[in-house]
Amino acid sequence: MTAAADTAADGSTAAPAAARLPARWLILAVICLAQLTVVLDNTVLNVAIPTLSRDLDATTADIQWVINAYSLVQAGLLLAAGSAADRYGRKRLLLAGLALFGVGSLAAGLAQSSGQLIAARAGMGVGGALLLTTTLAVAIQIFDAEERPKAIGVWAAVNALGFAAGPPVGGLVLAHFWWGAIFLINIPVVVLALVAVRALVPESRNLSGHRPDLLGALLSTVGMAAVVYAIISGPEHGWSSGRVLLPAAGGVLVLGAFALWERRVPYPMLDMEFFRDRRFVGAVAGVVLITFGSGGTLYLLTQELQFVRGYAPLEAGLRIAPFALTVVALNSVGVSARLMRRLGLPLSIAVGMALLAAGFTVAALPSTDGYGVLLLGLVLMGAGCALANPAIVEAVMGAIPPEKAGAGAGVDGTMSELGTSLGVAVLGAVMNARFTALLPAAVAGAGSLPAALAAAGTDDAERGAVMDAFTSGIETSQLAGAAAVLVGGCVAALLLRRAERPGPDAPAKAKAEAEAQ
């Protein structure tokens, strides 16, 4: 283990087969457990919205901030966290992330007001940013080129599982405990991971790096936080309001300044040359669109199952569970890995995202048989995620040198958070626009389903029209998400396919490299 750890610490690629860490798969299991907990917290609160509103006497704005504070802080810090992990040590930052996430979870579980819960969720976001980047970066370092695709596949499957399993886990906890237990169940996982990481994970860092890019870290954090804030505030304040346009414009300007600074500074936090690589750009486009569709659709489905179909949180969560179970099943038996090898990355992404789009479409179809149509849609969605997710992560990390694995993980995580926030905000806005447009005249102007039902009173016809309008809004937004995912899959696959084609100067480059050796 010592030799492998020293090699990784020197900033080289993963150790050769002869020096493979004996505990590498156990290490992967540990970091995936930590990753699962972090990703779960992105969606686990979706089924707790009615409970939080009642127990904390929280307003709609309070609930939005309880959910969004986590993703907002996390998205803002991901790029800086990835760069810091490469420089200061991936194991060190992994331990710090676990500790911060555990403290934040404890504070959230014991919160007595919506304000306290929002602050605790923001603290969890800091730890989550460190964990999301370091778990993938560690996996890149401890596996060699032969085993790395399989390891990334496992990591990506756990990532998709956590995202999809949030609603059923949240529903299960709420069925037996109070809402604070959703956060307190993180504590034993964090303690176990801290002990295992300290004992098993070798330290690794990029020792060839220059001094820290502090200005780049500041610009990326401020810019991403402002953009994500604008996105999640759009549905509440209106997309043309100053409270949305000002942070959006400011965030774009700051991110532009960040890009200019990174191109000029000799020690960039994020090498902007990555974006000249079609493979990298195609994979990043896939990350944004797959999380856009998945995040928005799960957000809408949990509302439909509770508000329209009348299910309790546990029942709603269990009915979404086939999405996660399909992801686990296809990855655990190796189906996804075999298809990736046979199809290649571009076609795997295209097929996976086409299946995902088909699942969204089927789930949006009006159904008279109860759960059957939705079940088919969820299985198709899970199959698409199981194939597309590992292929996208492999494409992102394959376009980045292993010594910059933290930065690559930061880009992947940032784009995932951006896509999820966009999905919830944009598809939520589409749903709300359709809903309000179809409301009957007697309740026109109601800004939410509960408000519209309250305005309709006991008039069954009016209440039925309100529910029909809400259902139509959800169907329309899901179809919009399906279209976005399908287009994204085609674009990502096309860019990756073009990147794989050798250019006209490829033979000359190959000859020059051979002579240099």
Side-chain angles (χ1 to χ4, degrees), residues 66-161:
V66 166
I67 294 174
N68 293 328
Y70 181 69
S71 58
L72 176 64
V73 173
Q74 197 175 88
L77 291 176
L78 279 167
L79 287 176
S83 177
D86 285 337
R87 177 171 178 80
Y88 297 110
R90 300 171 184 108
K91 176 180 178 178
R92 180 180 300 174
L93 271 293
L94 178 56
L95 290 170
L98 283 166
L100 288 171
F101 189 79
V103 171
S105 297
L106 179 61
L110 301 178
Q112 299 297 310
S113 68
S114 56
Q116 292 176 5
L117 183 55
I118 291 169
R121 288 276 288 172
M124 291 173 65
V126 178
L130 292 171
L131 289 175
L132 282 173
T133 53
T134 51
T135 53
L136 181 55
V138 167
I140 295 296
Q141 295 298 318
I142 63 175
F143 289 95
D144 59 27
E146 180 182 348
E147 291 185 327
R148 193 175 297 143
K150 183 178 180 181
I152 288 178
V154 172
W155 183 92
V158 169
N159 204 49
L161 169 63

Side-chain angles (χ1 to χ4, degrees), residues 1-13 15 21 202-205 207:
M1 179 177 292
T2 303
D6 291 341
T7 301
D10 285 339
S12 63
T13 59
L21 283 168
E203 183 59 281
S204 64
R205 63 173 63 88
L207 296 182

